[in-house]
Amino acid sequence: MQILVLHGPNLNLLGSREPTVYGSTTLVQIDTNLAEIAAKAGFSLESFQSNHEGALVDRIQTAAREGCRFIIINPAAYTHTSVAMRDALAAVDLPFIEVHLSNIHKRETFRHHSFFSELALGVICGLGAQGYQLALACAIEQLGNPLSRPA
């Protein structure tokens, strides 16, 4: 696995959870689409979702040991609360892009602060499921598309 996509709490409910805020695309649809794009570019991609902070921290640490080269993360509600996930990302020192389906800056004030943004290569918010695709395109460019390299 070269690219890891991490989804935080409640993202398993995408498609039915507040579609006016988060859209109607399901998490399975997002993950399937990303895996197809990554495979066409010559990369392996794994997606992982959990409602549990510790499981996400464990997955970040495991990814580094497995040789993961890039993380795309939607920390969801943990964006505003999880020092533990922030510390895990800092510890593994892998490049990552923070993604949010909604524009967190147009929402409640408590959602405006992210513990992750200052460490992230970039932040994409407010573009719905397309934000994940844009993050993946950037990750592929950052890593160098193996299918475009001379043999």
Side-chain angles (χ1 to χ4, degrees):
M1 179 252 323
Q2 297 164 305
I3 300 169
L4 175 63
V5 181
L6 289 175
H7 306 284
N10 299 309
L11 293 174
N12 55 307
L13 300 176
L14 287 179
S16 61
R17 174 188 176 213
E18 300 176 82
T20 57
V21 175
Y22 300 107
S24 59
T25 305
T26 67
L27 189 60
V28 169
Q29 290 170 320
I30 289 170
D31 288 341
T32 300
N33 177 260
L34 294 177
E36 289 171 359
I37 293 168
K40 286 179 185 172
F43 287 96
S44 59
L45 179 142
E46 178 187 320
S47 296
F48 179 81
Q49 187 278 329
S50 181
N51 295 319
H52 304 283
E53 183 179 32
L56 291 161
V57 169
D58 288 343
R59 191 65 195 97
I60 292 166
Q61 293 175 1
T62 301
R65 289 192 302 270
E66 292 174 343
C68 176
R69 297 175 56 206
F70 205 99
I71 296 174
I72 297 168
I73 183 169
N74 182 343
Y78 290 138
T79 302
H80 327 289
T81 63
S82 184
V83 174
M85 285 175 59
R86 181 198 192 283
D87 288 352
L89 287 164
V92 299
D93 196 30
L94 291 170
F96 72 93
I97 296 175
E98 178 182 350
V99 174
H100 299 283
L101 295 162
S102 67
N103 183 345
I104 61 174
H105 304 288
K106 290 177 73 174
R107 300 191 59 200
E108 303 92 341
T109 304
F110 73 88
R111 294 186 195 274
H112 296 180
H113 174 73
S114 167
F115 280 105
F116 302 86
S117 296
E118 71 182 72
L119 298 178
L121 179 66
V123 179
I124 300 170
C125 67
L127 300 179
Q130 184 183 14
Y132 284 102
Q133 296 169 10
L134 295 169
L136 180 57
C138 181
I140 290 168
E141 183 176 321
Q142 291 287 317
L143 296 173
N145 188 334
L147 297 181
S148 67
R149 292 187 199 137

